[in-house]
Amino acid sequence: MTIPDSGFMMENGVSCLPCTPQEEKKMVTDLRNESERSLKEGNLYFVISSRWFRTWERYVGIDADENLIGNQSSDFRHMNGASLIMAERPGPIDNSDIVENGSDCDCKDNEIQLRRMLTEGQDYVLVPQGVWEKLYEWYKGGPSLPRKMILQGFYHRKYNVEVYPLCLKLIDSRDDSQSIIWLSRKASVTELFQKVCALRGIERDKACIWDYFNKRKHARLIVSNKSLEEANLQMDQDILLEEVDGCHSSRFGMDSTGNELALVSLEPSRSPLTIARGPTLSNGHSSGYRSNLYPGSSLSSGLTDMDDGFDAYNSVRKGEKGGLAGLQNLGNTCFMNSALQCLVHTPPLVEYFLKDYSDEINTENPLGMHGELALAFGELLRKSWSSGRTAIAPRVFKGKLARFAPQFSGYNQHDSQELLAFLLDGLHEDLNRVKQKPYIEMKDSDGRPDEEVAAECWKNHKARNDSVIVDVCQGQYKSTLVCPVCSKISITFDPFMYLSLPLPSTITRTMTVTVFYGDGSCLPMPYAVSVLKNGFCKDLLLALGTACCLKSDESLVLAEVYGNKIYRFLESPLEPLISIKDDERIVAFRFKKKGMGKTKLVIFHRWQEKFTTDYLRIGTGLFGTPLVTYLGEDQPSGANIETAVSKVLSPFKRTYPSAKAHIGKENGFLSDGLDEQCGSSDAMSVANAELEVTSSTDLSLPLLLIDDSFMNFKAFKKDTFFESGKILRVVLDWTDKEQELYDANYLKDIPEIHKAGFAAKKTRQEAISLSSCLDAFLMEEPLGPDDMWYCPRCKEHRQAIKKLDLWMLPEIIVFHLKRFTYGRYLKNKIDTFVNFPIHNLDLSKYVMNKDGQSCVYELYAISNHYGGLGGGHYTAYAKLVDENRWYHFDDSHVSPVNESDVKTSAAYLLFYKRVRTESKVETGEASHSHFIS
């Protein structure tokens, strides 16, 4: 079908353009805004591949990194915008890269499932139903992937799109058949019965469905409005269907093979009002607890002993040690398992939760979770210390977590530090001994002694917050703000539960950039250089110039290559390197400064196709890396363009005489050592010069001129003249002749900026110390422009100078190493090895208040993160203090580990406990009543 006034055919079966890119952008923006104004449960959203959607965004002029240039000047944005190559109109919507079986899938739309482990923004985007309908009307394609919006949360209700519905594996005991059922985790048990009965052709009153987690009967599901999430059903778990006759099963008490199956009651017999006596552990503590705490509590039915995979009321087998139970992964819950293992091996918390703490449960605290979170955690801790080496499935705990913190619901990977922060705060509020929090008006320091102000602030804090978490995990730091205008000093003393330490900005980043020679003197070569992570393009240019032996009369031009086009030229030396992501491809074009004329020429490559007309738009046949050169003439002609193209292609000639003799080729690029590159560059230039003498200069290359919209092109002649000072773009059609003459492999597969490995390596040559991280945390620095302080003297917001100091340390101190940096679109992880002490961490030089407390700490647990953002894997190291031995907790798997092996570049959270001197232990001395030994 011909597009009116366009002069080219549309490809991929897409109908004619319904509107301009600007109109499409406006319509989609309006539909998105309208959807945001009418959020409600049940609204439909559609999943679209980020790969396709970014192509559409580029087509309509949406800059995916606009948050980065939003703070730049308008001149800078205009300059960069002029360098962008406008993208072509995308083909049909293509979700094949995010669905199971990809393009080979011939399922119906409602049977197609998303690939697991996808990340929003990186792998897919969510668009409202109205946006999807418009995009589908314009582009067709698919498959359609609708998802419903659900309402989550207990106190703070939040709308979320359920990208991954609950997947249940139905086992029919009548014929041993297995089926897959997809339902929202907010669907009721009644809806589950309806779907199962319809699928298996059984009447509801004859259907008995069991929670069959780990192939064991845990609970018989009862028809009700209770949600599947509240029933603690997990992703990919089994459910068992049995046919019953009245109240009796035809095969009741047998598994699918006919063997007798011991049915497990959900609750041991116990009084509903008193504490049931639990097993006596090897350390002598009882695990008894109170089941019903207040009317209407769901705790007695929710905290079941068999639910987590073992009978907590059976004593540990003789000789087995407590604290060595793994935690099953319930679908990307390694982040949760890692944080939990660190907490359940925290000695003061173990001692507290193995005793009867029911009197401290605060069911009335509006900031708490009615005690449910504390009870779920306490139950899990008791099981960890009474199950021997039996792995536990923390389903009840995960259910409570999803209810009170919906940000951790679902089956995506999350941050173990964020979970730890929520959990410590939630446990504190559930165990807060203060039932009615008094209102306290805070006073300014007004020049009073620090000791007086600190004691007052801590007293006020304890008047509202008093729990085992405060006793064990909270310290106090001093915060000083100085107004840069009037020099007003404001001092406050605030509590902390952990310290988030930045890694010093001197840590470098390895970036791989491929250098092309704009004058056609050499073949392209990739260089890996180290630059400051927070540096700028000028730093990259400097390092790259050193690596490639750039001469004083030469210059480099950086460009980003995307989709076989130049996406942008990085022309500003102050462009932050953080704007360049690891998976992007950056090239540099090397020129003689005197050869950088007024007109820039960009050469694109395309495999020749059979066409029915002369003028068509660029299709999907583009390949390789575009080449860039300059035209030095005041009024360049077609002959000048052809000569320039011929010159930059000359290194790729297959007839190059010394290619095999002197140059090794690996993955399409030269593989000489860096120490030989400077000399070989000159040698190749001489060889090229000799080659040009013996080669024909009249190549009659198949070149076509492209306009700046990148949608139309036309032929030109040698005597065609062009205006100087603009960017000229041409496409070279690679016919059989060009493919025979030139080796196009040098233009293909340029490397990414950085391809990170999954394993965490001990890169000790780049190591930094924990003390240097603490120094960076305590360093004086100005507040950011988005975090201004209101000066009470100036009566205006000021960019004050802030300084933090540690005033009082807790019994347990947690260091969070800030390895992750986040932006709206950009994310990065720092894999630098941090050298931290295992024994005798002395923090005395950092503490201002010399109160006689020991400032020496010992490491007892680590939360590790391996891999990249949005995925990777969490594990934990924990030390059994009584045994004085370290163990590695990798979900269900637990194994001993040497103490020397726990220090890796994967360390993310470090848990230290205070080491008390003998004199203080004997006398029971403690300066602060909130500390416990």
Side-chain angles (χ1 to χ4, degrees):
M1 181 177 182
T2 304
I3 303 301
D5 302 324
S6 66
F8 56 82
M9 293 283 292
M10 292 298 294
E11 299 179 4
N12 303 319
V14 182
S15 60
C16 61
L17 291 174
C19 48
T20 66
Q22 292 75 19
E23 290 171 335
E24 286 189 19
K25 177 181 178 181
K26 184 178 186 307
M27 292 175 70
V28 168
T29 301
D30 291 344
L31 288 169
R32 275 183 155 176
N33 291 338
E34 180 183 346
S35 174
E36 288 293 320
R37 290 191 295 268
S38 55
L39 293 179
K40 64 180 179 180
E41 199 165 16
N43 282 357
L44 272 184
Y45 280 72
F46 285 75
V47 183
I48 299 180
S49 165
S50 286
R51 185 177 65 178
W52 184 90
F53 195 74
R54 287 184 188 129
T55 304
W56 176 83
E57 285 186 319
R58 283 191 292 272
Y59 168 65
V60 300
I62 297 176
D63 184 0
D65 290 326
E66 60 187 2
N67 62 309
L68 291 172
I69 63 176
N71 294 328
Q72 305 288 346
S73 68
S74 59
D75 291 340
F76 173 75
R77 297 181 62 178
H78 177 75
M79 178 185 66
N80 263 0
S83 301
L84 295 178
I85 301 298
M86 291 188 65
E88 63 181 6
R89 189 172 193 270
I93 298 170
D94 183 6
N95 286 333
S96 61
D97 63 320
I98 61 172
V99 297
E100 297 288 354
N101 302 321
S103 57
D104 298 329
C105 183
D106 57 359
C107 309
K108 298 177 182 178
D109 277 2
N110 59 359
E111 297 175 348
I112 297 175
Q113 298 302 327
L114 281 177
R115 284 171 41 214
R116 299 293 180 92
M117 305 286 288
L118 298 181
T119 303
E120 184 178 0
Q122 178 178 326
D123 301 303
Y124 68 87
V125 296
L126 294 168
V127 300
Q129 183 176 2
V131 172
W132 165 261
E133 289 172 350
K134 276 297 178 187
L135 291 175
Y136 185 76
E137 174 188 333
W138 296 332
Y139 296 95
K140 304 304 180 187
S144 169
L145 300 169
R147 295 295 187 266
K148 286 186 178 180
M149 176 169 279
I150 59 177
L151 188 59
Q152 293 182 287
F154 187 74
Y155 293 113
H156 305 288
R157 308 285 274 169
K158 183 180 179 182
Y159 289 106
N160 287 311
V161 177
E162 189 176 29
V163 176
Y164 289 99
L166 187 63
C167 175
L168 300 173
K169 299 177 182 178
L170 172 66
I171 300 175
D172 192 334
S173 65
R174 298 172 299 173
D175 57 7
D176 297 336
S177 64
Q178 297 189 19
S179 309
I180 299 295
I181 291 179
W182 296 87
L183 275 173
S184 168
R185 56 183 178 269
K186 290 297 183 180
S188 66
V189 177
T190 299
E191 292 176 80
L192 175 63
F193 268 85
Q194 292 171 347
K195 192 152 190 174
V196 169
C197 292
L199 179 65
R200 302 305 302 162
I202 186 174
E203 297 178 15
R204 183 188 293 187
D205 58 355
K206 293 185 178 181
C208 174
I209 302 178
W210 288 88
D211 174 354
Y212 204 48
F213 184 79
N214 283 348
K215 294 291 194 297
R216 297 179 62 185
K217 289 184 176 179
H218 289 269
R220 179 175 176 176
L221 301 179
I222 307 300
V223 176
S224 69
N225 290 326
K226 189 176 186 179
S227 72
L228 303 183
E229 186 174 55
E230 292 171 330
N232 292 324
L233 297 184
Q234 303 297 317
M235 178 71 86
D236 298 325
Q237 81 156 75
D238 296 316
I239 55 175
L240 179 66
L241 171 64
E242 291 183 333
E243 185 174 6
V244 296
D245 182 12
C247 297
H248 303 283
S249 169
S250 58
R251 299 178 63 182
F252 199 80
M254 296 183 179
D255 65 13
S256 58
T257 62
N259 298 321
E260 290 188 4
L261 184 68
L263 299 184
V264 183
S265 61
L266 303 183
E267 287 275 0
S269 176
R270 70 177 82 166
S271 166
L273 299 175
T274 60
I275 297 176
R277 199 71 175 165
T280 300
L281 306 182
S282 58
N283 58 8
H285 295 298
S286 167
S287 65
Y289 66 98
R290 182 168 296 161
S291 60
N292 285 347
L293 297 174
Y294 63 95
S297 169
S298 62
L299 297 176
S300 61
S301 61
L303 297 175
T304 61
D305 303 302
M306 283 307 302
D307 194 57
D308 283 340
F310 77 101
D311 187 353
Y313 287 82
N314 292 329
S315 298
V316 180
R317 289 191 294 271
K318 188 175 180 180
E320 284 195 336
K321 303 168 185 174
L324 294 180
L327 296 174
Q328 289 188 30
N329 194 312
L330 304 178
N332 246 354
T333 57
C334 58
F335 77 98
M336 179 182 79
N337 294 346
S338 174
L340 285 174
Q341 290 289 9
C342 293
L343 285 182
V344 300
H345 288 88
T346 298
L349 297 185
V350 174
E351 181 180 1
Y352 178 85
F353 281 100
L354 288 182
K355 294 179 180 179
D356 177 16
Y357 60 93
S358 56
D359 288 340
E360 294 201 337
I361 294 289
N362 189 337
T363 61
E364 302 172 359
N365 187 354
L367 299 179
M369 292 86 179
H370 298 314
E372 294 184 43
L373 186 67
L375 280 172
F377 174 79
E379 178 78 359
L380 184 63
L381 183 144
R382 277 191 297 275
K383 290 175 181 178
S384 296
W385 284 89
S386 62
S387 66
R389 291 179 178 267
T390 304
I392 301 167
R395 295 199 298 162
V396 171
F397 180 84
K398 185 176 183 295
K400 299 299 181 186
L401 193 64
R403 182 185 180 199
F404 294 111
Q407 65 269 30
F408 299 116
S409 65
Y411 306 97
N412 287 334
Q413 185 68 278
H414 296 283
D415 190 325
S416 66
Q417 186 273 332
E418 292 178 0
L419 173 67
L420 177 72
F422 167 80
L423 188 52
L424 288 176
D425 188 61
L427 289 175
H428 157 65
E429 297 295 357
D430 269 4
L431 298 170
N432 198 344
R433 304 173 186 118
V434 179
K435 307 303 181 183
Q436 296 291 332
K437 295 188 176 184
Y439 171 76
I440 299 175
E441 186 173 349
M442 304 303 293
K443 300 177 183 178
D444 200 351
S445 56
D446 285 334
R448 292 181 292 161
D450 284 349
E451 291 76 10
E452 179 184 337
V453 179
E456 179 184 89
C457 289
W458 187 255
K459 178 182 177 182
N460 293 339
H461 176 66
K462 286 293 297 283
R464 295 171 55 84
N465 302 278
D466 185 14
S467 70
V468 65
I469 302 301
V470 176
D471 294 343
V472 171
C473 301
Q474 288 193 0
Q476 190 180 34
Y477 63 77
K478 174 185 177 183
S479 176
T480 304
L481 291 171
V482 180
C483 178
V485 177
C486 70
S487 300
K488 165 68 177 177
I489 298 177
S490 175
I491 297 176
T492 59
F493 290 84
D494 301 306
F496 69 86
M497 204 134 48
Y498 52 86
L499 297 177
S500 291
L501 307 184
L503 275 62
S505 59
T506 53
I507 300 306
T508 60
R509 170 189 182 187
T510 299
M511 302 182 74
T512 301
V513 179
T514 303
V515 176
F516 286 81
Y517 289 75
D519 58 0
S521 60
C522 294
L523 285 164
M525 172 75 72
Y527 294 90
V529 297
S530 291
V531 293
L532 295 179
K533 286 182 179 289
N534 295 330
F536 302 91
C537 278
K538 63 178 183 178
D539 303 312
L540 176 59
L541 287 169
L542 182 62
L544 200 58
T546 301
C548 72
C549 303
L550 192 72
K551 299 176 182 177
S552 59
D553 63 342
E554 292 179 316
S555 180
L556 293 173
V557 175
L558 295 173
E560 177 186 347
V561 175
Y562 181 88
N564 307 117
K565 306 182 186 78
I566 300 293
Y567 180 66
R568 60 172 175 160
F569 286 104
L570 300 167
E571 296 178 326
S572 170
L574 296 180
E575 173 83 9
L577 293 181
I578 196 174
S579 70
I580 303 174
K581 292 177 280 189
D582 282 348
D583 61 352
E584 292 177 346
R585 289 171 167 83
I586 302 297
V587 298
F589 297 99
R590 182 172 181 168
F591 301 101
K592 294 283 187 181
K593 291 179 180 179
K594 64 180 181 180
M596 299 177 70
K598 298 180 180 179
T599 305
K600 186 181 293 180
L601 177 65
V602 184
I603 306 151
F604 302 92
H605 311 279
R606 179 176 68 166
W607 297 122
Q608 188 186 46
E609 301 174 2
K610 303 298 183 183
F611 300 110
T612 56
T613 61
D614 290 332
Y615 301 111
L616 300 175
R617 74 183 180 91
I618 295 297
T620 57
L622 288 181
F623 76 94
T625 305
L627 299 175
V628 177
T629 187
Y630 280 93
L631 302 175
E633 294 76 16
D634 291 335
Q635 192 174 11
S637 66
N640 299 138
I641 291 177
E642 192 172 47
T643 300
V645 173
S646 176
K647 187 175 182 180
V648 296
L649 286 176
S650 61
F652 309 120
K653 284 189 176 180
R654 294 185 184 274
T655 55
Y656 184 69
S658 58
K660 293 184 179 178
H662 301 290
I663 304 166
K665 182 179 171 186
E666 183 177 324
N667 298 326
F669 291 97
L670 302 182
S671 57
D672 341 8
L674 286 177
D675 54 344
E676 301 175 359
Q677 289 162 5
C678 297
S680 63
S681 173
D682 292 336
M684 292 177 65
S685 299
V686 174
N688 270 322
E690 295 174 353
L691 181 63
E692 290 176 9
V693 172
T694 59
S695 301
S696 171
T697 57
D698 188 9
L699 298 178
S700 300
L701 294 173
L703 296 169
L704 294 167
L705 190 70
I706 314 169
D707 65 6
D708 57 1
S709 69
F710 220 86
M711 296 178 65
N712 299 295
F713 60 92
K714 62 183 179 180
F716 60 92
K717 298 180 181 180
K718 289 187 176 182
D719 59 358
T720 304
F721 290 92
F722 302 93
E723 183 180 350
S724 65
K726 292 186 176 181
I727 299 178
L728 291 178
R729 303 172 181 88
V730 295
V731 61
L732 170 64
D733 275 327
W734 284 66
T735 65
D736 292 340
K737 177 182 176 182
E738 277 68 43
Q739 294 180 50
E740 183 178 349
L741 185 60
Y742 300 104
D743 187 352
N745 288 320
Y746 289 103
L747 299 170
K748 299 177 183 177
D749 303 324
I750 61 173
E752 299 176 351
I753 281 291
H754 180 68
K755 188 175 285 296
F758 186 81
K761 298 179 181 179
K762 300 180 180 181
T763 54
R764 295 180 185 271
Q765 69 274 13
E766 198 187 23
I768 57 175
S769 66
L770 182 63
S771 62
S772 66
C773 296
L774 261 170
D775 291 336
F777 174 75
L778 301 173
M779 187 182 300
E780 183 179 277
E781 61 180 357
L783 296 175
D786 297 327
D787 191 26
M788 306 279 273
W789 170 65
Y790 182 79
C791 176
R793 183 179 295 168
C794 297
K795 308 297 183 183
E796 289 187 25
H797 285 90
R798 301 294 190 192
Q799 197 168 355
I801 305 299
K802 184 176 182 178
K803 176 72 171 70
L804 294 178
D805 293 288
L806 298 181
W807 182 261
M808 184 172 63
L809 300 179
E811 288 293 299
I812 299 296
I813 187 166
V814 180
F815 294 109
H816 164 220
L817 302 179
K818 296 175 69 174
R819 295 193 178 275
F820 302 118
T821 57
Y822 299 94
R824 182 179 173 190
Y825 294 100
L826 295 177
K827 300 178 181 179
N828 190 34
K829 182 191 174 185
I830 303 173
D831 285 316
T832 304
F833 177 78
V834 176
N835 191 12
F836 50 88
I838 296 176
H839 302 286
N840 300 319
L841 171 63
D842 189 353
L843 300 176
S844 56
K845 70 174 182 177
Y846 296 103
V847 183
M848 297 186 68
N849 181 29
K850 309 301 181 183
D851 57 359
Q853 287 280 356
S854 170
C855 295
V856 179
Y857 286 80
E858 180 178 284
L859 185 73
Y860 71 88
I862 307 171
S863 174
N864 302 303
H865 181 269
Y866 300 84
L869 287 163
H873 184 57
Y874 285 93
T875 68
Y877 291 124
K879 182 179 181 180
L880 267 61
V881 178
D882 293 341
E883 189 182 340
N884 195 30
R885 189 171 186 180
W886 284 87
Y887 288 87
H888 183 217
F889 294 84
D890 186 355
D891 289 332
S892 300
H893 183 70
V894 180
S895 58
V897 63
N898 293 327
E899 184 175 87
S900 59
D901 293 331
V902 303
K903 296 169 69 170
T904 73
S905 59
Y908 184 46
L909 300 176
L910 305 174
F911 292 74
Y912 284 88
K913 67 182 183 71
R914 172 178 272 139
V915 177
R916 291 200 175 273
T917 61
E918 290 297 324
S919 60
K920 294 184 185 300
V921 173
E922 291 172 2
T923 61
E925 177 185 350
S927 301
H928 298 278
S929 61
H930 69 290
F931 290 150
I932 65 171
S933 300

